[in-house]
Amino acid sequence: MSDNEIVSNLSETLEKGAQILRDFVKTLPSSPGIYRMLNQKQEILYVGKAKNLKKRVVSYCHIQKLPNRLQRMIAELHSVEVVDDKKYMMFVMKYSS
């Protein structure tokens, strides 16, 4: 695979990941919560918490402003979900800073 093909493939996967996020943001409230980013094998790439879910997840859509490690994560992204377990959410929100 040539360098141009690698760059093109990365751009495509980054854009697909950003589109997944843009679509997901449309369903999010502006309330606090916990979210998980998953790859195609449904393995967790990232677990995050936010005081404003919509605002936090939108920040990942600006892929050109993200550091390389986050761009790689977005390129692997297959789905995003909000954690609904209230006890888990209370625990994470209380004990993580």
Side-chain angles (χ1 to χ4, degrees), residues 17 20-29 31-50 53-54 56-57 60 73-74 77-85 88-89:
I20 289 167
L21 289 169
R22 285 190 289 270
D23 292 342
F24 183 66
V25 163
K26 294 174 186 175
T27 68
L28 286 175
S31 59
I34 298 170
Y35 59 96
R36 291 189 291 212
M37 296 185 181
L38 307 167
N39 66 12
Q40 195 160 3
K41 296 178 184 176
Q42 295 302 300
E43 298 168 331
I44 297 172
L45 297 171
Y46 184 76
V47 176
K49 68 179 179 76
L53 281 170
K54 184 173 278 203
R56 179 67 178 125
V57 175
Y60 291 108
M73 180 181 74
I74 300 305
L77 184 66
H78 185 261
S79 63
V80 188
E81 61 187 24
V82 173
V83 176
D84 287 333
D85 185 336
Y88 179 73
M89 285 178 53

